[in-house]
Amino acid sequence: MGESMVNVEIRNEQDGQPFQAGSAASVRFLAEVRAWAERNEFNQIVFWRDGEKLWVQLDDERLNYWMPEHLLERGQKEDVEMQLDYARGAHHRSAAGYQKFDK
C-alpha cells in the first residue's frame, strides 16, 4: 500500500483558494474522507465551500450534491461516510446520464 495518493482539499467557491481547516475536528474529517476515498478508489475529492455548503467533487467531476459544512467540525464518522456514499450515488447517476432526472 504505502503512501496515500488521495488528494483531499477544501476550496472556497468564490475564488478557488484553499480553505485552511485547522481544528482537530476538521483534520479528523479530512482523514475520514481520505480513508473513504481510498476504499472507493477515488484519487481526488474537493469540497467547494459556499456558505453553509460543501459542494462535492469526486475526481474530476463536480457534482450537483453538497454536504452541510457543520460536518467539518461536528461530523461523526458515520455521518461523513453516509454523505460521501450519497455523493458517490449522485456521481454514478450522473455518469449514467441520469442527472437530467435528478433536478
Side-chain angles (χ1 to χ4, degrees):
M1 281 301 266
E3 191 63 27
S4 166
M5 298 304 291
V6 178
N7 177 41
V8 177
E9 54 187 298
I10 302 168
R11 293 187 167 275
N12 291 314
E13 179 70 58
Q14 271 78 26
D15 56 12
Q17 290 301 306
F19 171 71
Q20 296 305 324
S23 71
S26 58
V27 169
R28 190 173 63 243
F29 169 85
L30 292 172
E32 288 165 0
V33 170
R34 190 169 289 112
W36 181 91
E38 286 175 357
R39 285 195 307 277
N40 289 278
E41 299 180 357
F42 287 104
N43 296 315
Q44 170 172 269
I45 298 184
V46 181
F47 297 102
W48 294 90
R49 191 170 161 268
D50 178 21
E52 299 295 302
K53 298 176 180 174
L54 297 171
W55 293 92
V56 181
Q57 173 181 326
L58 298 178
D59 286 339
D60 293 331
E61 185 175 0
R62 288 183 70 168
L63 304 175
N64 188 19
Y65 184 84
W66 57 271
M67 295 166 53
E69 190 190 32
H70 71 78
L71 286 176
L72 260 180
E73 296 299 329
R74 301 195 299 277
Q76 300 300 310
K77 183 174 193 285
E78 296 73 26
D79 296 333
V80 172
E81 290 182 346
M82 182 180 70
Q83 289 286 335
L84 288 166
D85 286 342
Y86 285 142
R88 185 186 54 205
H91 180 264
H92 288 327
R93 285 194 304 279
S94 152
Y98 290 137
Q99 69 269 33
K100 55 186 169 292
F101 303 114
D102 285 350
K103 295 282 184 270

